[in-house]
Amino acid sequence: MQLLPALKTYLEAQTEPLVRVSRTATAARPDSSTYVLAGPTNGPLANVLFKPLSLTRYKISATVSYTDAANDFGFMLGACDGTNEFYSLRFVPSQNRFSFDRTNRNSLNPGTSAVADVPFPMQPNTPYSVDIVQENSVVVVYLNGVAALSSRIYKAPRTSWGIFADKSTATFRNLTVTKP
């Protein structure tokens, strides 16, 4: 599934600046719109946390790839912190799925049932386009023009958001936020 061209044009009228709140030492920034997150096998997840967006509708976009993934990587919404208390929109390569979880990170395990998920086959070193459209509490994620996931995330509006990699190495290129 793809974002409709008219909606894409509407949501990309203006670029919203990314204001970083924090970044772990294992999150490198080789250029202004790219982050490489290397979550160590024994240690905290790598993450970058951004300032809340005071918007009722917007789009977060990125091209995401990974070199290795013992666990998962993805986007944090409704983030109270960058380590545990957030909702995750996550790529799970070992299960070839993309899922939305409300469970705190320290409680997630391979058997955790996702709130919503979609099958999404993945391979290392392959770029995947991601568009996350949020309007109030409704969040729709478009993946590479072939899959979509939608859910209500009541905690998402006006809270911090970010990107993470847990026991994985992932690259987030062309990370942007746009608005009407």
Side-chain angles (χ1 to χ4, degrees), residues 136-159:
N136 297 314
S137 63
V138 176
V139 176
V140 182
V141 182
Y142 297 91
L143 301 167
N144 223 38
V146 297
L149 178 141
S150 69
S151 192
R152 284 204 178 267
I153 304 178
Y154 293 103
K155 193 176 172 185
R158 296 177 178 81
T159 57

Side-chain angles (χ1 to χ4, degrees), residues 77-98:
L77 294 179
C80 293
D81 65 23
T83 57
N84 184 49
E85 294 182 29
F86 59 85
Y87 296 154
S88 54
L89 295 169
R90 61 192 187 110
F91 291 90
V92 188
S94 65
Q95 299 174 9
N96 282 315
R97 70 182 171 100
F98 183 85

Side-chain angles (χ1 to χ4, degrees), residues 23-67:
R23 176 176 80 180
T24 60
T26 54
R29 188 172 185 197
D31 65 51
S32 64
S33 66
T34 300
Y35 286 92
V36 179
L37 280 62
T41 52
N42 293 318
L45 59 101
N47 69 75
V48 179
L49 197 59
F50 296 98
K51 184 178 174 183
L53 297 167
S54 297
L55 305 167
T56 56
R57 68 179 59 89
Y58 59 89
K59 180 174 74 88
I60 299 171
S61 299
T63 300
V64 181
S65 62
Y66 70 98
T67 54

Side-chain angles (χ1 to χ4, degrees), residues 19 21 23 43 60 73 78 89 92 100 106 112-113 115 117 126 128 130 140 148 150:
V19 180
V21 173
R23 176 176 80 180
I60 299 171
F73 54 91
L89 295 169
V92 188
F100 162 53
N106 62 7
T112 300
S113 293
V115 172
D117 64 358
T126 303
Y128 300 104
V130 180
V140 182
S150 69

Side-chain angles (χ1 to χ4, degrees), residues 2-3 7 23 27 34 40 52 100-101 110 133 153 159 166-167 178:
Q2 290 186 327
L3 189 58
L7 182 58
R23 176 176 80 180
T34 300
F100 162 53
D101 292 291
V133 176
I153 304 178
T159 57
D166 189 6
K167 297 175 181 56
T178 56

